[in-house]
Amino acid sequence: MDEVLWEARERPMPDRDAIDAIITASARAQRGTADHPGLVEVAAALVVLGAVRLNLDQTEARLLNTAQASGMSFDQIAAIFGLSAEAALERYRQLKPRLDEPAAPPPPPLPGRATARDEPNWLHRPTVDQPIWDELDDEDWGTCAGQ
């Protein structure tokens, strides 16, 4: 499959599209209009899903750090998510260890799209002199959540 995609598109299929292709193939098979995807293809889609989930979890954790470093309070961030402060705190505690898990490098940018390297340096610096969530211990969370 990767070889065909490389020849046809000169790049691998995006992760979400690859997962959706397996789901679509299975739906067609259940309707009797195609063969079921093989176990290897389904297993590969599950592996890709795990990698996508890891990438999204790491992105969310980094964005939470960025929001806090930008001066947003933990209560404000929790309100944006529509969660209680306790639920948002638990979510962050689950995400934080995922930052240390190895992830695949991001795909190359599409032609004509800006990358982080193209952005001015000031976009990557915290504007508020306070610790980011990664630097806080669990004891510090009580003060961040207004407890």
Side-chain angles (χ1 to χ4, degrees):
M1 178 75 110
D2 284 343
E3 186 176 322
V4 171
L5 290 172
W6 177 255
E7 289 174 13
R9 297 184 184 181
E10 296 184 9
R11 65 181 168 85
M13 183 182 286
D15 294 342
R16 178 68 193 257
D17 292 343
I19 294 166
D20 287 343
I22 295 299
I23 294 169
T24 300
S26 179
R28 287 185 185 139
Q30 291 173 15
R31 289 191 307 266
T33 59
D35 292 333
H36 283 281
L39 293 178
V40 171
E41 288 85 6
V42 174
L46 290 170
V47 169
V48 170
L49 179 63
V52 168
R53 180 173 288 126
L54 173 62
N55 183 276
L56 187 58
D57 287 351
Q58 289 176 337
T59 300
E60 184 177 346
R62 287 191 305 271
L63 184 57
L64 289 170
N65 285 336
T66 299
Q68 192 277 332
S70 297
M72 292 182 76
S73 73
F74 184 72
D75 288 329
Q76 290 170 319
I77 295 166
I80 290 170
F81 283 141
L83 299 172
S84 68
E86 294 79 21
L89 172 59
E90 181 58 31
R91 174 76 181 144
Y92 182 73
R93 284 184 177 153
Q94 292 171 354
L95 293 174
K96 186 177 174 181
R98 301 217 71 195
L99 287 169
D100 296 327
E101 294 180 32
L110 297 175
R113 288 227 164 145
T115 66
R117 286 179 288 212
D118 301 327
E119 296 172 350
N121 284 338
W122 61 268
L123 286 175
H124 303 285
R125 284 186 299 214
T127 57
V128 178
D129 188 24
Q130 58 182 324
I132 59 172
W133 288 354
D134 259 358
E135 297 169 346
L136 298 173
D137 295 327
D138 287 341
E139 302 85 47
D140 295 322
W141 282 100
T143 59
C144 289
Q147 297 173 351

